[in-house]
């Protein structure tokens, strides 16, 4: 919404949330204190805030005034009841729809921005169209394809914008209204319009395809470790085929983030609910492979440290699910740590952007053991050198650029020998490290 406000100074954008502390943070005088870390975002907020971008907790007033409302609430995987662990929890979407229905006195366009299971618009429509107030609502689907860490450039220059709506005259008019917003800075040919259901489904499918590429290359990484093939070379060799393309072929300790796993689980759940189990199984394998990759990485560390890590210090460099973000949702680091804590390892974490409270919170959320045990076995450091001091091994969990430029000789000197590095992101120069004396294991290289 900040980027829309920046690019459309003639449009008034009001962002509302029930959470007062969060809204206050968005209104903080110093835009460096806004609650989301994303390169370039504080500058965008500084430019538009107070001009045509406003943050408020007055939800009803904002609904009443708006001609177009974007629903951008979270849709986590259900943790209870039918569809537990698979389906999306649409509680917040429904509450939004009910509030909009209750408050609105004039016709509005409602835009689903949250990622939703296909046919959710049906439920939203049902609630909105049965208010009896005579107000007309048009529902659009406008999924977001930005990636974290590059959100601002992705929004300023997207590969495409997708807008789905009813194929009726009123629906088409609503689609055109939203096209008109994006057309302020995005060439028309990059604004795709479809029916509602194609748009909702395309978002899930885009994420499933991206995640599938990672699971595919990760599956090959295990085979490479058994043979003399090098997964980096294989990725380069296949990626130069223009039909395959070079992106999303980086073998890793496993993908994380708030979207991939959740959206695939959603896709699988929808397929199962229609009884198309072959399709469900096909996509579920992407998740199974990813879980396997995370576990395999942890167990390789145990195996390499003479089959026991009990009481051994293992330094984790990185905790975020990828570089340039402080987001840790579904980060591979959490699951690798959990596995190693089961083996009684002592974990010492350094991440340039993630703080101790978050790290312990992530582990406690899994409820594998008591919070006191997690606190006892996990120490968080302010710099990498302290985290690696006296460690038996280092595991690279996030591809932060700064890791490449460390004084690795200094780190080596402070470690127990043999000093081992498990590079879960293949970002370090293994040959250089070996010359220092490290024993290095990369993903997908024998
Ligand atoms: C993703 C989609 O890219 C985006 O279009 C969608 O809107 C939201 O989900 P995001 O989760 O922010 O974005 O990050 P992304 O860059 O896609 O990375 C996801 C995970 O895959 C990260 O853990 C990343 O480290 C991992 N990854 C990515 C790999 O392991 N290998 C790769 O080659 C690429």
């Amino acid at each position: 919404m900040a980027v829309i406000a920046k690019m459309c100074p003639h449009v008034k954008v009001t962002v509302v949330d029930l959470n007062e502390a969060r809204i206050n943070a968005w209104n903080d005088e110093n835009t460096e204190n806004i609650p989301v870390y994303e390169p370039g975002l504080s500058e965008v907020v500084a430019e538009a805030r107070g001009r045509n971008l406003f943050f408020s907790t007055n939800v009803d007033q904002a609904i009443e005034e708006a001609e177009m409302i974007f629903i951008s609430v979270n849709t986590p995987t259900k943790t209870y009841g039918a569809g537990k662990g698979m389906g999306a929890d649409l509680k917040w979407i429904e509450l939004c729809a009910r509030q909009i229905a209750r408050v609105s006195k004039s016709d509005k366009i409602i835009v689903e921005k949250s990622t939703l299971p296909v046919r959710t618009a049906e439920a939203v429509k049902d609630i909105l169209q049965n208010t009896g107030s005579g107000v007309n609502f048009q529902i659009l689907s406008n999924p977001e394809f930005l990636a974290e860490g590059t959100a601002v450039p992705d929004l300023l220059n997207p590969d495409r914008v997708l807008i789905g709506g009813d194929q009726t005259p009123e629906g088409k008019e609503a689609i055109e209204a939203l096209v008109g917003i994006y057309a302020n800075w995005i060439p028309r040919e990059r604004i795709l319009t479809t029916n509602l259901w194609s748009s909702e489904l395309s978002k899930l499918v885009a994420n499933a395809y991206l995640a599938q590429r990672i699971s595919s290359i990760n599956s090959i990484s295990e085979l490479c470790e058994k043979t003399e093939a090098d997964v980096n070379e294989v990725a380069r060799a296949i990626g130069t085929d223009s039909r395959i393309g070079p992106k999303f072929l980086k073998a890793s300790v496993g993908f994380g983030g708030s979207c991939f796993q959740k959206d695939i689980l959603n896709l699988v759940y929808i397929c199962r609910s229609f009884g198309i189990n072959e399709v469900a199984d096909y996509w579920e394998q992407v998740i199974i492979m990813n879980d396997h990759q995370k576990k395999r990485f942890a167990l390789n560390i145990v195996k390499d440290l003479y089959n026991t890590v009990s009481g051994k210090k293992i330094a984790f460099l990185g905790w975020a699910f990828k570089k340039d973000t402080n987001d840790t949702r579904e980060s591979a680091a959490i699951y690798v740590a959990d596995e190693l804590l089961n083996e009684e390892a002592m974990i010492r974490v350094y991440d340039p952007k993630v703080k101790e409270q978050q790290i312990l919170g992530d582990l406690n959320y899994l409820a594998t053991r008591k919070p006191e045990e997690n606190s006892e076995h996990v120490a968080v450091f302010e710099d990498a050198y302290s985290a690696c001091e006296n460690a038996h091994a280092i595991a690279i969990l996030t591809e932060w650029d700064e890791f490449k430029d460390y004084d690795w000789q200094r780190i080596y000197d402070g470690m127990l020998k043999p000093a081992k590095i498990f590079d879960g992101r293949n970002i370090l120069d293994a040959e250089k490290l070996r010359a220092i004396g490290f024993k290095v294991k990369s993903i997908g290289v024998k």
Side-chain angles (χ1 to χ4, degrees), residues 38 115 143-151 154 160 203 206-207 210-211 213-215 217-218 246-261 263 290 320-323 325 327 329-332 397-399 424-425:
E38 195 60 61
T115 301
E144 187 48 65
F145 296 101
L146 68 81
E148 287 182 33
T150 52
D154 288 351
R160 75 333 202 160
K203 169 66 189 192
N207 276 344
L210 290 168
R213 279 175 72 95
I214 304 169
S215 276
I217 198 72
N218 281 346
K247 293 181 183 165
F248 270 68
L249 284 181
K250 190 116 187 63
S252 69
V253 55
F255 61 75
S258 65
C259 294
F260 284 176
Q261 170 153 323
D263 290 352
N290 195 48
F321 83 98
K322 65 185 225 185
K323 72 173 180 180
T325 174
D327 194 339
R329 285 176 289 177
E330 293 300 331
S331 178
L397 276 307
T398 312
E399 73 281 25
R425 296 292 187 162

Side-chain angles (χ1 to χ4, degrees), residues 412-426:
Y412 179 79
D413 293 340
M415 285 177 67
L416 298 181
K417 309 294 178 318
K420 303 202 169 189
I421 296 190
F422 301 89
D423 185 355
R425 296 292 187 162
N426 289 0

